[in-house]
Amino acid sequence: MTTTDTAQASGYTSSYLADQHAGQLERLRTLERAFDPLSHAVFDQLELAGKPAILDLGAGAGSLAAWLGKRYPDATVTATDIDTRFLTNIPGIRVMTHNVATDDFPAASFDVVHARALLCHLTEREDILTRAATWVRPGGWLVIEDVSLQPSLNTANPLFRKIAQAGITLLERSIGSDMLWADTLPGRLRDRGFSNVGHRTLEGRIGDNSPADIFWAATTAQAGPALLKLGLLTQDDLDAMASLRADPAFTAAALTLVSAWGQVL
Ligand SMILES: C[S@@+](CC[C@H](N)C(=O)[O-])C[C@H]1O[C@@H](n2cnc3c(N)ncnc32)[C@H](O)[C@@H]1O
């Protein structure tokens, strides 16, 4: 196994989404509160037996790795990230600095390889899907969960559409993210020859004070300075969006979390 000793510079690590930002841990917690329920439901239906080896790539602040450790007390849970600062002090899991874009694992090392809100941000996403499949043992599962912002582009509200398009452009330009890629995930697993491919989705709205709404607001707030610096939005746009979101008459579909899984036979 090869690992990076220090986090390598990448689009993500130098971006407004990276872990050095004040408030990043709380932003990751808002993501976890929004997305953990779907991830838990997906793992619950996999019916893992025995003492599974589970890998969570790009584990962030680690709520899912912590849950996996409790859900499967006999499992070996490995949580990786290029920046592991938020993964300390989680009992019962192995933590490893690992850049999924460049670092490997030996073939057939895990019963489940999982990644959430990670591949959409990495330009190497197609290659990672192919490589991660080789890390899964026969009978095991690859589970990929990613965010699609397509619903926000479908909104009838012109201000929300403008803000959404600016956010997608910022992510694409500063990180290389593809915020529509998640919609193609089940097909990509089928194309790679996975068996028993399935998927589930979680719809996230804004303006309804839901966990997804709070995650959206935290991420947009963190993106604010970069959006202004690149001239993608003005302060007036951001202020108007804050007022719109606070308007009790406004709510709109904002994102989909797509969870897709496939089995290696
Ligand atoms: C949006 S967060 C998602 C965190 C976690 N998967 C979750 O859903 O709660 C993305 C995480 O991926 C990590 N990351 C970014 N690029 C990475 C890479 N090349 N290899 C491993 N992790 C990476 C970031 O440090 C961050 O913790």
Side-chain angles (χ1 to χ4, degrees):
M1 165 182 333
T2 57
T3 60
T4 44
D5 290 331
T6 54
Q8 295 179 3
S10 74
Y12 196 97
T13 48
S14 57
S15 80
Y16 70 95
L17 286 185
D19 291 352
Q20 69 273 14
H21 283 273
Q24 171 72 346
L25 177 59
E26 185 43 42
R27 191 185 73 84
L28 288 175
R29 292 287 179 232
T30 68
L31 181 156
E32 293 173 342
R33 281 191 281 274
F35 297 156
D36 276 356
L38 179 61
S39 302
H40 295 175
V42 166
F43 270 93
D44 280 343
Q45 74 185 13
L46 289 183
E47 295 178 0
L48 302 179
K51 300 181 176 180
I54 304 175
L55 173 64
D56 189 20
L57 295 161
S63 71
L64 190 66
W67 179 84
L68 288 166
K70 288 188 192 136
R71 170 74 176 77
Y72 306 103
D74 295 329
T76 307
V77 177
T78 304
T80 71
D81 207 288
I82 42 170
D83 186 337
T84 57
R85 77 182 76 188
F86 302 135
L87 292 171
T88 52
N89 303 324
I90 302 176
I93 66 165
R94 296 171 60 207
V95 175
M96 182 185 295
T97 302
H98 180 276
N99 182 340
V100 70
T102 53
D103 298 335
D104 260 310
F105 287 98
S109 296
F110 300 99
D111 297 290
V112 184
V113 174
H114 170 268
R116 185 176 73 188
L118 174 64
L119 269 59
C120 64
H121 294 305
L122 302 180
T123 54
E124 304 86 351
R125 59 188 73 85
E126 294 294 333
D127 178 52
I128 294 168
L129 265 193
T130 303
R131 287 168 48 242
T134 69
W135 307 337
V136 180
R137 292 177 182 149
W141 298 88
L142 182 66
V143 183
I144 305 293
E145 307 186 283
D146 255 311
V147 179
S148 166
L149 294 181
Q150 182 65 55
S152 63
L153 297 179
N154 296 342
T155 177
N157 185 291
L159 174 62
F160 179 39
R161 195 164 54 246
K162 180 179 179 183
I163 304 290
Q165 185 58 67
I168 290 170
T169 302
L170 175 64
L171 285 161
E172 195 181 312
R173 278 202 213 157
S174 59
I175 302 179
S177 311
D178 181 344
M179 299 313 297
L180 306 180
W181 183 76
D183 293 320
T184 67
L185 262 173
R188 291 185 191 279
L189 296 184
R190 271 187 219 101
D191 291 347
R192 282 173 172 76
F194 282 92
S195 299
N196 299 315
V197 172
H199 76 280
R200 284 177 68 163
T201 57
L202 178 152
E203 307 297 330
R205 301 184 69 80
I206 63 162
D208 61 356
N209 209 29
S210 62
D213 173 58
I214 292 163
F215 165 61
W216 186 93
T219 302
T220 305
Q222 196 160 307
L227 288 163
L228 298 176
K229 195 173 164 194
L230 286 187
L232 292 168
L233 293 175
T234 64
Q235 189 60 52
D236 284 350
D237 291 327
L238 292 173
D239 293 345
M241 187 64 223
S243 301
L244 179 65
R245 179 173 163 257
D247 180 346
F250 174 76
T251 179
L255 58 86
T256 311
L257 179 68
V258 180
S259 180
W261 57 89
Q263 193 171 26
V264 174
L265 293 181

